[in-house]
Amino acid sequence: METLAEIKARTETVAPGARLEIVSNGSPSQQASLRIDNEHAVEIARFLRDDPELRLDFCSNVTGVDWLDRTIKKTVKVKQVVDGVEKEVDQISEEVIPGYLEAVYHLYSIARKHGPVIIRMRTADRTAETQLPSLTSIWRSAEFQEREIFDLYGIHFDGHPDLRRILMWDEFEDYPMRKDYREPDDYEYEPTPHDDVLEKAKRHYAPRPQLDGAEKITAQP
Amino acid sequence: MSLGFQELEAAERPPTIMTSRLEGELLEVSMGPQHPSTHGVFRMNVALDGEIVRKLKPVFGYLHRNHEKIGENTSYLGSMPYTDRLDYFCSMTNNWAYALSVEKLAGIEVPERAEYLRVILAELTRLQNHASLLGFLLSDMGAWGTPLMYAFREREKILDLFESLSGSRMMCDYMRFGGCRVDASPEWLARAKEVVNRFPKFLDEFENLIVENEILIARTQNVGKLSPGLAISAGITGPMLRACGVNYDIRKVDGYGYYPRFKFRIPLGEHGDTYDRLMMRALEMRESIAILNQAFEQIPAGPVMNPKVKIRAFKPPVGEAYGRIEAPKGELGFYLISDGSSNPYRYRVRPPSFINLTILEDLCLGHTVADVMVILGSVDIVMGEVDR
């Protein structure tokens, strides 16, 4: 199979203006990946699938990753005049790299029996602009897996035929796989008849402040 | 929707069924989640035109416990016993897929004997998974009890082997990064060999019962046909893909473990219908027996763990890896991202059962409700893996 750099060069000729970037991987697995831009994603995906050399017809694994905001601290020596004397002073600058959500696709070729080619797409940020183009129209196998990413990470896939929650229930509000997810105290709180009865009982019986909780409610003598 | 999804034509039905239809009226039925033939807690919202399925939407999540989040909050080793609970029929192959991914992530080598033991256990797992699938499928078709008990009798012998090796019948937790937890004794290997040697007799008997059975043929042939093009596009893997005639087996393609050392064939179907999917399992069992017999011959002596690996306080280098194996149900993969700490930053399971259900609606459209059961049975799902 071609190297990722060759695939990148050929993709750039097919989709002019596309911003591609090879994301290196420090692990011994040496599975580097290709980051593609969201505007040309469907076009690039179609090229990867239909190109006679590559024929990446089998999209095996689709998954999301949540990257939080990162702060990089840099220390720069700066000359400053302190008490009339010039000195070298350490100046610490902080650079905040905003977080983003990522969708990763592992592509293989059944026709050519090679792979994987890994492509990834990133959202603009984690809260407001979480849209990515859906690749379900290219590989049907992304249908349920993109739904799962929407469900657990909250990435909205534009052009997905049926973007609903798949594992969590429809009324669920947050995205549980995000790194900053906090479990609610009570998943499905709603007032029950039991609560009303409890309130009524409290009005009927005199409270005993020395006791806590349910023990407060006791019958009067 | 102009996405080019394949639409199956309505199957030809005898006129008696057709006249019982409510013309133009669809009846919405919720099948499951407590239906015995849904193999666990799985629900399908079906729109019926008389007996004929016009729409089918699977509903998941009844067994969802967010396995992946738990994996991110646990150490690398801590997730190993938890992988047993994914596809609880095939804990050995789950262990192997996870161990393989971590080995890729950290660049760990596995001793020769351990690789042989892994092949032996994975093929034994395939035998018992496929045998019980055939039993369940026949049970779905109305052959209550007997075929399932025949299959479970054989499965029991293999589970006994697992128990004596790993201490547990189903939740084996046997493999580790860089090898296997304990060595197999010569007596164990002899017993395993005996079980494998007796297996073809069961297969002959079972195949005699099912292959030319008139009812089975009527219920399965031309039911739930899947075209190779759709199967590839929808990411179908395992026996279901090969039943469509697509020659793709990760044991051959990736050549992980020591599979290139063994001689075995890949059975291929022709029609992609339920009958082919069923027969694919029977034929694959024969090939598994061939692999097992070669593995018993070749297995060398030696250590079963790579002594350089520190399993406790294990911290792989920063990076990511995707490892996959041919599990009995299809491609089982683990995608791991390491940030250099003792827990994975991202832990993703690529579940074959879940992705094989993508085309369930396409398979069932135009068939009767009774066929839905058979088609679902032939997909071979385990809800522990589908819902994770």
Side-chain angles (χ1 to χ4, degrees), chain B residues 345-365:
Chain B
Y345 186 81
R346 177 79 177 102
Y347 167 97
R348 150 84 178 165
V349 189
R350 188 240 186 242
S353 312
F354 178 62
I355 295 162
N356 285 358
L357 283 176
T358 309
I359 39 83
L360 183 66
E361 184 176 17
D362 303 58
L363 294 184
C364 293
L365 290 185

Side-chain angles (χ1 to χ4, degrees), chain B residues 18 93 126 144 151 178-179 196 217 221 234 238 249 293 326 341:
Chain B
M18 300 299 278
T93 47
R126 203 180 309 277
W144 264 110
V196 172
I217 287 173
Q221 283 191 351
D249 189 315
N293 284 329
E326 180 77 35
S341 70

Side-chain angles (χ1 to χ4, degrees), chain B residues 124 127-128 154-162 199:
Chain B
L124 283 173
L127 284 182
Q128 57 100 357
E154 297 308 309
R155 176 169 177 261
E156 207 62 24
K157 291 173 189 162
I158 293 172
L159 291 189
D160 283 349
L161 285 175
F162 287 174
F199 208 85

Side-chain angles (χ1 to χ4, degrees), chain B residues 66-133:
Chain B
N66 217 337
H67 181 96
E68 293 176 5
K69 189 87 177 178
I70 296 169
E72 285 175 13
N73 295 329
T74 322
S75 66
Y76 283 89
L77 177 64
S79 290
M80 182 61 85
Y82 209 56
T83 58
D84 295 338
R85 276 85 178 162
L86 282 170
D87 173 358
Y88 40 78
F89 267 77
C90 315
S91 61
M92 288 291 187
T93 47
N94 296 345
N95 286 175
W96 194 2
Y98 180 54
L100 188 86
S101 306
V102 177
E103 281 152 13
K104 272 194 174 175
L105 185 68
I108 299 170
E109 285 189 5
V110 183
E112 205 175 0
R113 186 175 172 87
E115 288 279 27
Y116 271 98
L117 278 174
R118 285 178 178 192
V119 169
I120 289 170
L121 291 163
E123 294 310 318
L124 283 173
T125 305
R126 203 180 309 277
L127 284 182
Q128 57 100 357
N129 178 75
H130 286 359
S132 32
L133 171 99

Side-chain angles (χ1 to χ4, degrees), chain B residues 245-300:
Chain B
V246 181
N247 187 353
Y248 194 75
D249 189 315
I250 298 166
R251 289 176 291 178
K252 289 272 189 198
V253 175
D254 281 12
Y256 65 94
Y258 279 144
Y259 278 113
R261 294 191 185 181
F262 303 115
K263 266 190 193 157
F264 63 103
R265 294 172 300 170
I266 306 295
L268 292 178
E270 205 176 325
H271 311 285
D273 58 3
T274 308
Y275 186 79
D276 277 15
R277 288 200 279 279
L278 200 149
M279 287 312 295
M280 208 48 50
R281 268 79 184 209
L283 294 170
E284 275 192 10
M285 280 195 272
R286 301 236 179 233
E287 296 306 316
S288 288
I289 291 167
I291 296 173
L292 279 165
N293 284 329
Q294 292 169 56
F296 288 133
E297 297 258 310
Q298 295 174 17
I299 185 165

